[in-house]
């Protein structure tokens, strides 16, 4: 039984390279016919780790050596054991700290570490004797056997320590038993002491210089599996769900609207949608206005005039809102509160380019200065579907919405009349959620108002059906998350991302 202590004494000259170590092992093999890794390490004061490294390189040379692994139970010192091995046992330290006239027990108890144990052991060893309330040395010098035994273990000579002592020291948490793997090396059938350094890399220089012809290469293991734990990227669950919704829209023949502008002008976010300038959603309590640049610079003037007119005096059969519409208000920059702003831009462009029926969708971040709670952050991802065609009616809208939600396994839908400044009629969408045993609001929808579409130049007989929902709500329900901060933000548990299989929408 050989013992090691993680503290002192090993491998003073940690310098010798693996190549030299390999050479030393081969010479020792030549001499002794067998090399035991830990013993060899001790004999040349080299760390067992380095020896094992050298043995592994020799092993990779083919049949120069044979290597057998044996599990070896050995002893090593604990932190405290190491302290005793180097500083001496507590009782020995107490004895050596005592002046010939001794010291009061009270004083030792107050000032000497592990005093109780040290006093007890020193008294038991009859190193001290009591004189009144003092203890005095009972002899001139003592032999600190505990330290000696632990130093023996340090030096890997645990066999020289009696088993009952080892059991006692283990109980005193001075040493612990550890298992180490020891390598037994013997000569292989291609044994040689002269090893040529095997190159692991075929480099450009070798090829250009032709050096490769005279070089011995490590055998290439073409069968070696690439790193198994190849960690591929992971989509955040929300982004995973976004790609599922995206796929659904694409399968339904929709094309994605460009949503890469979080900063929008109040004009496209509100005015173009016929949302009056004094609408509560437009005040800073609900909307994040941008300080710098505070104002937009480019709104198509002729279109702006039409919007102004529609808001202030109406038109297209509407009386408008009868208020003084402010260009300045419309020019304010803000963080878009809905992707419907993008729908407005796309419908305007569609009218400018010459109308044709389209199916658009968008899924991206929108920002609302709302009171934060378990289901609301200051931003969420809005999903929006827009279908523009001739004479579409609310029936078509309901059909579109049914078709869409069917694709995500939601069949039982109910529509509840609602109000949006930019759609008439408008409907909130509800679905009966078996798991939650209740009707859940799953979105909003409506037919865009003529006051929104006409000024853009969308033809009279064209109607536009649209609906919207969030990405976070379905994600929370599908992942069984009750607090949105566990889904989005710094508190998301990485496991949710790493070991979360692609969230399948059970068709
Ligand atoms: O997502 C929402 N709910 C939802 C959706 C799916 C779902 O799936 C489950 C697996 C079964 C579960 C829930 N909602 C919309 C409804 C509510 O959560 C609502 O309280 C919160 N809404 C957000 C806005 O909050 C201020 C969700 C968000 C929302 C609301 C409206 C629209 C978009 C997102 C819209 C619109 C619209 C209307 C007309 C024309 C164009 C767009």
């Amino acid at each position: 039984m050989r013992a090691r202590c993680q503290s002192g004494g090993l491998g003073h000259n940690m310098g010798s390279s693996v190549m030299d170590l390999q050479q030393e092992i081969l010479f020792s093999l030549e001499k002794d016919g067998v090399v035991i890794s830990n013993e060899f390490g001790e004999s040349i004061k080299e760390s067992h780790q380095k020896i094992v490294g050298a043995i592994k390189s020799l092993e990779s040379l083919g049949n120069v050596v044979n290597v057998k692994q044996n599990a070896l139970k050995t002893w090593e010192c604990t932190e405290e054991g190491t302290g005793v091995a180097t500083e001496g046992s507590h009782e020995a330290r107490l004895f050596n700290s005592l002046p010939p006239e001794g010291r009061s027990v009270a004083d030792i108890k107050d000032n000497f570490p592990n005093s109780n144990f040290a006093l007890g052991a020193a008294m038991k060893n009859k190193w001290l004797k009591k004189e009144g309330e003092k203890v005095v040395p009972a002899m001139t010098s003592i032999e600190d056997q505990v330290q000696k035994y632990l130093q023996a273990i340090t030096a890997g000579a645990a066999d020289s320590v009696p088993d009952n002592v080892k059991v006692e020291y283990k109980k005193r948490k001075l040493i612990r038993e550890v298992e180490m793997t020891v390598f037994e090396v013997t000569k292989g059938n291609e044994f040689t002491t002269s090893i040529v350094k095997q190159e692991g890399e075929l480099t450009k220089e070798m090829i250009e210089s032709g050096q490769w012809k005279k070089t011995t290469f490590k055998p290439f293991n073409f069968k070696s599996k690439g790193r198994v734990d190849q960690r591929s990227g992971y989509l955040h669950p929300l982004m995973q769900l976004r790609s599922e919704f995206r796929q659904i829209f694409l399968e339904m023949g929709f094309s994605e609207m460009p949503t890469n502008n979080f900063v929008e002008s109040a004009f496209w976010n509100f005015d173009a949608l016929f949302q009056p300038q004094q609408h509560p959603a437009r005040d800073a309590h609900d909307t994040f206005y941008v300080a710098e640049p505070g104002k937009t610079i480019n709104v198509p003037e002729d279109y702006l005039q039409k919007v102004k007119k529609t808001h202030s005096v109406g038109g297209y059969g509407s009386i408008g809102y009868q208020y003084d519409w402010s260009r300045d208000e419309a020019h304010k920059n803000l963080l878009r509160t809905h992707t419907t702003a993008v729908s407005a831009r796309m419908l305007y462009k569609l009218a400018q380019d010459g109308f044709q029926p389209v199916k658009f969708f968008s899924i991206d971040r929108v920002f609302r200065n709302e009171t934060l709670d378990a289901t609301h952050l200051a931003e969420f991802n809005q999903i929006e579907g827009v279908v523009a065609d001739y004479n579409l009616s609310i029936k078509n809208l309901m059909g579109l919405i049914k078709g869409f939600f069917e694709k995500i396994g939601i069949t039982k839908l109910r529509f509840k009349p609602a109000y949006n400044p930019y759609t008439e009629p408008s409907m909130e969408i509800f679905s009966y959620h078996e798991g939650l045993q209740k009707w859940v609001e799953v979105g909003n929808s409506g037919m865009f108002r003529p006051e929104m579409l006409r000024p853009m130049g969308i033809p009279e007989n064209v109607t536009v059906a649209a609906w919207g929902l969030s990405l976070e709500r379905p994600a929370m329900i599908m992942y069984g998350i009750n607090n949105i901060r566990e889904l989005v933000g710094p508190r998301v548990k990485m496991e949710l991302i790493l070991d979360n299989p692609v969230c399948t929408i059970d068709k």
Side-chain angles (χ1 to χ4, degrees):
M1 167 72 82
R2 305 195 48 62
R4 317 193 75 12
C5 217
Q6 86 250 36
S7 62
L10 290 178
H12 303 305
N13 65 348
M14 305 296 269
S16 51
S17 75
V18 173
M19 261 315 264
D20 315 346
L21 272 181
Q22 292 180 44
Q23 203 55 65
E24 283 187 58
I25 291 170
L26 291 174
F27 288 140
S28 166
L29 255 183
E30 177 75 1
K31 190 159 51 55
D32 315 333
V34 65
V35 165
I36 307 293
S37 58
N38 62 324
E39 290 163 9
F40 182 77
E42 272 141 39
S43 65
I44 64 164
K45 300 250 168 302
E46 188 54 86
S47 80
H48 189 238
Q49 234 151 342
K50 282 191 94 177
I51 304 295
V52 172
I55 290 172
K56 290 224 178 286
S57 314
L58 283 174
E59 207 175 5
S60 70
L61 292 178
N63 303 319
V64 173
V65 296
N66 299 330
V67 178
K68 199 155 64 55
Q69 293 193 17
N70 312 323
L72 178 76
K73 277 210 171 313
T74 177
W75 293 92
E76 69 177 16
C77 300
T78 62
E79 220 53 49
E80 192 189 352
T82 311
V84 171
T86 37
E87 319 301 326
S89 64
H90 307 305
E91 58 274 32
R93 282 184 242 175
L94 171 61
F95 177 86
N96 298 330
S97 73
L98 279 189
E101 68 281 6
R103 231 163 115 189
S104 75
V105 173
D107 167 34
I108 290 171
K109 284 200 179 292
D110 296 349
N111 305 306
F112 194 86
N114 312 294
S115 53
N116 294 345
F117 176 85
L119 269 170
M123 297 300 285
K124 189 160 99 348
N125 299 346
K126 299 198 180 2
W127 294 350
L128 306 180
K129 61 180 178 285
K130 293 287 239 109
E131 278 178 10
E133 47 56 71
K134 286 202 312 178
V135 286
V136 297
M139 54 181 67
T140 51
S141 71
I142 51 111
E143 202 227 350
D144 183 353
Q145 185 54 54
V146 179
Q147 182 182 33
K148 286 210 173 2
Y149 277 147
L150 288 174
Q151 283 174 344
I153 287 181
T154 302
D159 316 1
S160 64
V161 179
D163 290 352
N164 66 324
V165 172
K166 277 188 268 195
V167 172
E168 184 216 335
Y169 286 4
K170 182 178 179 189
K171 243 201 320 318
R172 285 173 54 186
K173 298 206 171 344
L174 293 173
I175 63 175
R176 65 170 154 263
E177 201 166 19
V178 287
E179 186 158 281
M180 70 184 293
T181 308
V182 166
F183 295 77
E184 187 178 325
V185 186
T186 51
K187 291 180 183 172
N189 50 27
E190 290 159 16
F191 177 76
T192 164
T193 54
S194 61
I195 47 168
V196 287
K197 182 168 176 353
Q198 290 188 317
E199 291 303 332
E201 295 298 313
L202 172 61
T203 63
K204 175 163 88 39
E205 292 68 32
M206 287 175 175
I207 295 170
E208 282 156 357
S209 65
Q211 178 53 29
W212 66 273
K213 294 194 189 84
K214 296 190 282 309
T215 305
T216 319
F217 289 93
K218 275 202 180 78
F220 280 87
N221 170 6
F222 295 109
K223 286 195 269 327
S224 72
K225 296 236 176 321
R227 273 194 39 196
V228 283
D229 67 341
Q230 280 302 349
R231 288 267 313 273
S232 62
Y234 287 78
L235 269 182
H236 179 291
L238 206 56
M239 295 303 113
Q240 224 158 315
L241 193 57
R242 181 175 74 169
S243 62
E244 302 236 2
F245 275 109
R246 181 176 276 139
Q247 197 49 38
I248 287 169
F249 275 113
L250 296 171
E251 281 161 14
M252 294 171 77
F254 283 66
S255 41
E256 184 161 19
M257 295 186 262
T259 54
N260 55 344
N261 64 314
F262 294 165
V263 174
E264 183 57 280
S265 65
F267 179 83
W268 288 108
N269 196 80
F270 292 123
D271 297 281
L273 298 176
F274 194 56
Q275 188 147 354
Q277 293 187 335
Q278 61 291 88
H279 187 285
R282 293 184 71 154
D283 65 37
H285 296 109
D286 281 0
T287 297
F288 295 108
Y289 282 91
V290 174
E292 190 48 46
K295 293 288 171 23
T296 186
I297 43 180
N298 59 2
V299 173
E301 188 53 30
D302 61 341
Y303 173 43
L304 178 143
Q305 290 306 330
K306 292 193 182 97
V307 170
K308 170 185 175 79
K309 181 173 156 306
T310 313
H311 279 246
S312 46
V313 297
Y316 322 103
S318 168
I319 61 165
Y321 295 116
Q322 309 297 320
Y323 72 96
D324 294 343
W325 185 85
S326 142
R327 170 192 294 269
D328 195 49
E329 180 61 33
H331 275 203
K332 286 180 179 167
N333 276 335
L334 46 80
L335 295 185
R336 64 172 177 225
T337 62
H338 47 199
T339 54
T340 319
V342 179
S343 308
R345 283 174 175 277
M346 294 301 285
L347 290 167
Y348 172 74
K349 188 170 171 307
L350 184 66
Q352 301 309 304
D353 305 349
F355 176 79
Q356 55 177 335
V358 291
K359 297 197 280 189
F360 286 147
F361 80 92
S362 62
I363 307 177
D364 212 327
R365 293 160 69 177
V366 299
F367 309 85
R368 296 189 183 180
N369 187 358
E370 281 172 336
T371 43
L372 309 185
D373 62 19
T375 59
H376 284 84
L377 291 172
E379 66 173 85
F380 68 90
N381 283 274
Q382 175 168 349
I383 301 172
E384 178 150 317
V386 176
V387 177
D389 205 335
Y390 299 99
N391 310 316
L392 285 178
S393 74
I394 193 135
K395 225 166 20 34
N396 300 111
L397 174 58
M398 290 177 170
L400 282 162
I401 293 171
K402 274 204 174 81
F404 172 78
F405 278 100
E406 239 151 51
K407 294 252 182 189
I408 62 171
I410 296 178
T411 48
K412 268 207 199 123
L413 290 181
R414 277 197 315 195
F415 296 100
K416 175 171 166 261
Y419 172 81
N420 299 310
Y422 39 87
T423 52
E424 186 54 42
S426 308
M427 310 181 293
E428 275 169 358
I429 311 160
F430 284 80
S431 94
Y432 186 76
H433 196 282
E434 309 301 341
L436 305 168
Q437 293 296 311
K438 64 177 180 162
W439 285 91
V440 176
E441 184 195 349
V442 290
N444 192 307
S445 65
M447 305 301 289
F448 283 139
R449 298 182 72 109
E451 292 93 332
M452 169 183 167
L453 303 175
R454 297 276 97 58
M456 292 172 170
I458 299 281
E460 184 120 8
N461 57 352
V462 168
T463 49
V464 182
W467 73 95
L469 64 156
S470 77
L471 188 61
E472 285 76 1
R473 296 295 297 129
M476 290 173 72
I477 291 177
M478 287 166 188
Y479 289 100
I481 292 173
N482 303 323
N483 185 317
I484 192 157
R485 283 161 191 71
E486 287 154 39
L487 177 68
V488 180
R491 279 178 27 201
V492 170
K493 294 192 202 52
M494 279 316 279
E495 292 71 57
L496 179 74
I497 295 179
L498 294 182
D499 60 16
N500 188 346
V502 171
C503 168
T504 52
I505 291 185
D506 44 3
K507 299 260 183 308

